[in-house]
Structure formats: structure tokens, C-alpha cells
Amino acid sequence: MATLDVGQVGVDPATGLKRMVVTVNAKVLDVGQRIPESVAVAGPTQYAGVGPTEDEARTNALKLAAQSAAVN
């Protein structure tokens, strides 16, 4: 199970573009028992995306977070 939580938009100080942060939390559960038990937990890890608009910054941040979470 994993969640991608989107933060509020801000301005990237280096570029002046919109900046959005996404926080990733992941958990592997053993559901073979009556009460599920956590086997592994990762996160929270933050990824930032930038773009000229809020939508593009959000999309870039979500893409980066999803790619990084899938590889790890």
C-alpha cells in the first residue's frame, strides 16, 4: 500500500517557477493472518516538481515520485 500526498504550491527560489512537493509513504502488509502485520515501511520521502503552472508542477512532482517509488 502506498500514498502520494500533494502539498501546497510555492515558488522555486532558483528558477521562479511554480514548485509542488509530493510526499510518498509505502507499507508492505502480510495479510495471510487474521490481523494484517506490517512487513516493511518506507517513507516519508519528499519529491519536488517545478513548472510554469501549478498543474504542470503537480504533474511533474507526481511523475517523479511515482517513478522513484516504483524503482525502490
Side-chain angles (χ1 to χ4, degrees):
M1 176 172 53
T3 60
L4 301 172
D5 300 311
V6 179
Q8 293 186 349
V9 68
V11 177
D12 183 49
T15 63
L17 296 172
K18 305 285 185 193
R19 183 174 188 260
M20 183 77 65
V21 175
V22 172
T23 303
V24 178
N25 290 294
K27 183 186 294 189
V28 177
L29 298 172
D30 177 5
V31 294
Q33 302 173 16
R34 184 173 211 157
I35 299 174
E37 183 178 332
S38 293
V39 177
V41 177
T45 306
Q46 293 187 332
Y47 299 94
V50 294
T53 66
E54 183 177 338
D55 288 339
E56 192 168 336
R58 181 184 312 109
T59 300
N60 290 338
L62 286 168
K63 281 182 182 179
L64 179 61
Q67 289 171 348
S68 296
V71 171
N72 295 328

